[in-house]
Amino acid sequence: MNVTSVLSRQITRSPGAVRARRSGLVTMAVFTGAWSMLGLASGVLALQIAAWVLIVAAVYFFIRSTRAGAPSPAGKTDPAPSNSARLSAPSDSRFVVAVIAETVAIVATVFILLTLHLPQYVVPLVAVIVGAHFFIFIRPGDRTVHVIAGSAGVAVGLAGIALIAQGRLDPVVVRGLLGCSFALITAYYGCYFLSWRFVDADPNEGA
């Protein structure tokens, strides 16, 4: 059994599941690229190199999204591990709730910080909010990736707040560190969608 089959998640094929995988890959491509821009703008060579690597990953996610629901070539699919659970794709309603909650929280946070003349804290607090939204997707049998992404995102945001408050680093450099770190998180989450292995619905289910 190879590494791919071990990491794969059996997802029951449906139009909604294919749509969820495609939109997930596109979303992670966009956000991985967007967060990487902060690394490019940092003026720090190491962060700029890391940002370019992450941008390549973002492009790869976008390319893979164009064939997100394509069946595997005959004879090319590795059998899923016998102990892997078959899952349905996350519901559209859960995605909508996550996006609405995240958007409202971000808009309110930006408004409050700009009103208080604290724009330097916008990016790290947005990172905390985006990280926290991953927890909404936790569900039985499929929680680890969301816990890791959510915890890492919140931790990165809080670290950014602490670094800015200390004032030891230029805020542009802090944003670069934060951006590359969060781009790595979204790239990791993009790999989650790549791990989906579509299987046909079991005709005995619900019988």
Side-chain angles (χ1 to χ4, degrees):
M1 184 181 299
N2 62 29
V3 174
T4 303
S5 67
V6 171
L7 296 178
S8 66
R9 288 169 174 79
Q10 291 190 77
I11 304 292
T12 301
R13 182 186 293 275
S14 69
V18 172
R19 183 171 63 250
R21 185 173 191 257
R22 181 176 292 116
S23 63
L25 286 170
V26 170
T27 301
M28 291 307 105
V30 170
F31 283 101
T32 298
W35 283 108
S36 297
M37 292 298 106
L38 295 174
L40 290 180
S42 69
V44 178
L45 180 59
L47 292 177
Q48 291 172 330
I49 293 173
W52 279 116
V53 172
L54 289 161
I55 288 171
V56 170
V59 172
Y60 178 69
F61 292 150
F62 183 78
I63 292 172
R64 287 295 299 270
S65 74
T66 63
R67 51 192 181 92
S72 300
K76 296 296 184 180
T77 302
D78 293 318
S82 59
N83 62 345
S84 63
R86 178 180 295 192
L87 303 167
S88 59
S91 66
D92 289 342
S93 60
R94 184 174 297 201
F95 175 77
V96 171
V97 168
V99 171
I100 292 176
E102 180 184 29
T103 301
V104 170
I106 289 174
V107 171
T109 297
V110 172
F111 176 79
I112 292 171
L113 290 175
L114 294 182
T115 300
L116 296 175
H117 305 290
L118 296 171
Q120 68 272 29
Y121 290 104
V122 167
V123 172
L125 277 172
V126 166
V128 171
I129 294 168
V130 176
H133 104 288
F134 287 114
F135 294 120
I136 297 176
F137 296 102
I138 293 175
R139 58 195 177 129
D142 194 26
R143 65 178 68 246
T144 303
V145 65
H146 309 295
V147 171
I148 291 175
S151 300
V154 171
V156 165
L158 293 176
I161 293 171
L163 288 172
I164 290 176
Q166 290 174 357
R168 297 180 181 178
L169 291 176
D170 188 310
V172 174
V173 175
V174 174
R175 287 195 293 270
L177 283 167
L178 194 154
C180 285
S181 298
F182 216 99
L184 184 61
I185 294 169
T186 54
Y188 164 74
Y189 203 73
C191 291
Y192 160 72
F193 290 105
L194 291 179
S195 76
W196 287 18
R197 177 180 177 272
F198 286 127
V199 293
D200 293 329
D202 187 344
N204 294 320
E205 288 182 350

